[in-house]
Amino acid sequence: MGACAAPEPNDAWPAVGGSLDEDEHSLDWAATDWGGLLHRRPRAVLRPNATSDIARLASFCRERGLTLRPRGQGHSLQGRAQAHDGVVVDMRATAAIGEIHSDRVEVEAGALWSDVLAATLPHGLAPPVFTDYIELTVGGTLSVGGIGGATHRHGMQTDNVLAMQVMTHDGETRPCSPERNAALFDAVRAGYGRHGTILRATLRLTEAFEHTRVHTVRYQDRSVFLQDQRMLVASGAFDHVQGHVLPDEDGWSFFLVAAQYGTSASSSPGPLLDSLRSDNREVDDLPHGEFLHRLRPQEQFLRATGAWHRAHPWLDLFLPDSAADGFLDEVMDGLRPDDLGEGGLVLLYPFPTRVVRTPALMLPREPTTYLVSLLRTAPADGAAIQHMLDENARLRSIALERGATLYL
Ligand SMILES: Cc1cc2nc3c(=O)[nH]c(=O)nc-3n(C[C@H](O)[C@H](O)[C@H](O)COP(=O)(O)OP(=O)(O)OC[C@H]3O[C@@H](n4cnc5c(N)ncnc54)[C@H](O)[C@@H]3O)c2cc1C
């Protein structure tokens, strides 16, 4: 939100409900994020009881030129949820989930997507798009985009929000939707909190099925992998299509993951799967909730090893389809497992550009866009972090020359 100029002494915080915490633990917490490369401490952390607490503090901060920054889970990069010498609002304190309707649910912005799923799934309903990891706040992903395996069908999470209540910089709460205050609606979605704080969001719900059939196909040839992936996305036959690259004993393997919701063996698109040019494949039938929580074991493992808490020099890009093969060559040539670090991987999958209708999200100007994410975990060694950052800078500039845009 507003820029920080020489702030007043903070001996006169206004009376607000909830808590306004200035202890070392709270300030350190608010100066930490998933990226782990920037640490900017605020003066205080607000844990509001009600949105009126945020409004009161917003006015106070605006008058003194203090930055007020909403923070969800802090799972973003580059200090985006930090407020140097300002105030961080812990949005997790407001996380209520409203009544569930057949096509929508209104939630407070600090609710986690996993909470939304837990509340809606028993009704046979769920939001149409989930990110891979769902312990993120609704406000946090609506502020960046929110891409997942269902994006090729339904767009980003920002394309599936029906309305929001937003507190703008003047401390006023304004409703917005495509019909009402549409400019605000468009500015706030994927707006990184720059145009106001999302207080509540009305999320679209669609039918959720009990089971998910997951096909995982493994490739050694990256060009065949990309061609098969494009073919599956174009077919529209699967609810979820993704791809990723992992190190293995032979070098690198390319995994195509295609899932169908609520299907049985008899309804699976056999001929399409038969046409894929790799026989190295597995099929799993999972309860739908387990499928959406599929990163949980990985999270537990990385927490146990400590890698979860290290720095994550990620590079996230949207690449035009025509550049995907060549850019993947640039990424893979000379890439060593250590360059990605513990639990690291390259995420790579296409979606039709037209399905994304969020104006603030800049995408390449081609009918098909690729998400390319180098998800790196830094070792404790500072020199190796610098190597990862240098590689990111090199690849970023190659990608931008080829028409890519930046994500996250
Ligand atoms: C393990 C992991 C997996 C991920 N997988 C995916 C994925 O599959 N797809 C994907 O798209 N992303 C993914 N991400 C990235 C993630 O979606 C973004 O970083 C997201 O912003 C994090 O949500 P958060 O609740 O932690 O938000 P924070 O990091 O707390 O905040 C992010 C930004 O949003 C702003 N913000 C937060 N709450 C509000 C609010 N209520 N109103 C206005 N602005 C607000 C903050 O000020 C900040 O600028 C992943 C991240 C991690 C760590």
Side-chain angles (χ1 to χ4, degrees):
M1 295 175 79
C4 174
E8 296 287 309
N10 53 359
D11 55 355
W13 293 114
V16 286
S19 66
L20 194 58
D21 299 322
E22 299 172 84
D23 60 284
E24 294 296 308
H25 178 75
S26 296
L27 302 185
D28 284 345
W29 168 83
T32 309
D33 63 19
W34 179 258
L37 296 169
L38 276 179
H39 303 278
R40 295 178 298 200
R41 282 180 21 138
R43 289 184 163 224
V45 175
L46 172 67
R47 298 191 162 100
N49 269 344
T51 54
S52 54
D53 302 325
I54 309 175
R56 200 160 301 138
L57 208 61
S59 309
F60 178 88
C61 287
R62 194 179 57 256
E63 285 158 14
R64 287 159 181 79
L66 289 169
T67 299
L68 182 84
R69 179 96 52 211
R71 174 188 164 112
Q73 288 284 73
H75 280 338
S76 49
L77 314 170
Q78 302 183 47
R80 291 193 193 281
Q82 298 172 13
H84 174 63
D85 218 15
V87 177
V88 166
V89 182
D90 180 359
M91 298 302 293
R92 288 286 293 125
T94 58
I97 295 181
E99 190 185 341
I100 291 155
H101 300 273
S102 60
D103 61 346
R104 64 187 61 204
V105 60
E106 191 184 21
V107 305
E108 288 187 326
L112 299 179
W113 287 95
S114 58
D115 298 333
V116 177
L117 180 67
T120 57
L121 204 51
H123 298 262
L125 297 165
V129 181
F130 283 92
T131 49
D132 291 348
Y133 177 64
I134 62 174
E135 307 302 330
L136 305 168
T137 64
V138 168
T141 68
L142 292 183
S143 298
V144 300
I147 186 169
T151 288
H152 71 284
R153 277 204 171 159
H154 299 288
M156 305 274 174
Q157 289 181 322
T158 44
D159 297 312
N160 292 282
V161 57
L162 302 174
M164 291 182 284
Q165 294 280 336
V166 174
M167 184 180 297
T168 47
H169 298 318
D170 54 8
E172 289 295 316
T173 298
R174 295 188 160 81
C176 63
S177 68
E179 295 79 33
R180 196 169 173 198
N181 292 326
L184 179 63
F185 187 67
D186 286 346
V188 168
R189 291 182 297 147
Y192 288 93
R194 285 185 302 250
H195 304 282
T197 299
I198 304 166
L199 303 176
R200 305 176 72 86
T202 304
L203 307 174
R204 188 161 85 87
L205 297 179
T206 52
E207 184 180 5
F209 297 89
E210 277 184 25
H211 286 91
T212 298
R213 170 155 291 203
V214 189
H215 304 267
T216 306
V217 188
R218 183 173 181 163
Y219 297 80
Q220 298 309 131
D221 184 318
R222 53 199 188 222
S223 155
V224 174
F225 157 75
L226 289 175
Q227 286 166 28
D228 278 3
Q229 201 180 36
R230 286 186 185 105
M231 188 269 289
L232 280 200
V233 165
S235 76
F238 289 89
D239 297 294
H240 169 111
V241 180
Q242 281 196 338
H244 57 264
V245 188
L246 282 175
D248 62 18
E249 58 286 355
D250 302 322
W252 296 93
S253 284
F254 300 80
F255 293 87
L256 171 51
V257 181
Q260 288 170 285
Y261 299 162
T263 52
S264 62
S266 57
S267 61
S268 82
L272 200 59
L273 290 166
D274 290 345
S275 69
L276 296 178
R277 284 169 294 161
S278 168
D279 294 328
N280 191 343
R281 48 183 85 182
E282 284 176 15
V283 182
D284 294 300
D285 285 313
L286 299 174
H288 193 54
E290 194 178 320
F291 172 67
L292 294 173
H293 275 289
R294 63 193 174 280
L295 290 194
R296 206 182 249 163
Q298 176 81 345
E299 175 184 358
Q300 284 165 355
F301 175 75
L302 294 174
R303 280 186 186 277
T305 66
W308 188 261
H309 300 289
R310 290 208 216 110
H312 296 92
W314 284 9
L315 176 64
D316 297 274
L317 301 161
F318 292 122
L319 206 66
D321 188 22
S322 62
D325 291 75
F327 187 70
L328 187 56
D329 289 345
E330 295 281 355
V331 170
M332 299 311 301
D333 286 345
L335 189 74
R336 297 165 304 131
D338 281 354
D339 296 331
L340 295 179
E342 191 174 344
L345 73 153
V346 180
L347 202 58
L348 181 74
Y349 56 91
F351 58 91
T353 310
R354 65 177 159 72
V355 298
V356 177
R357 300 168 309 280
T358 301
L361 266 174
M362 302 298 289
L363 294 180
R365 295 172 188 278
E366 282 193 11
T368 300
T369 294
Y370 257 89
L371 172 77
V372 183
S373 294
L374 278 89
L375 305 182
R376 306 182 195 261
T377 303
D381 167 7
I385 295 180
Q386 192 53 50
H387 174 68
M388 290 179 172
L389 292 172
D390 291 345
E391 269 303 287
N392 282 352
R394 183 181 74 80
L395 291 169
R396 185 187 300 113
S397 82
I398 293 172
L400 292 176
E401 272 169 25
R402 298 181 186 181
T405 58
L406 301 176
Y407 183 49
L408 299 181

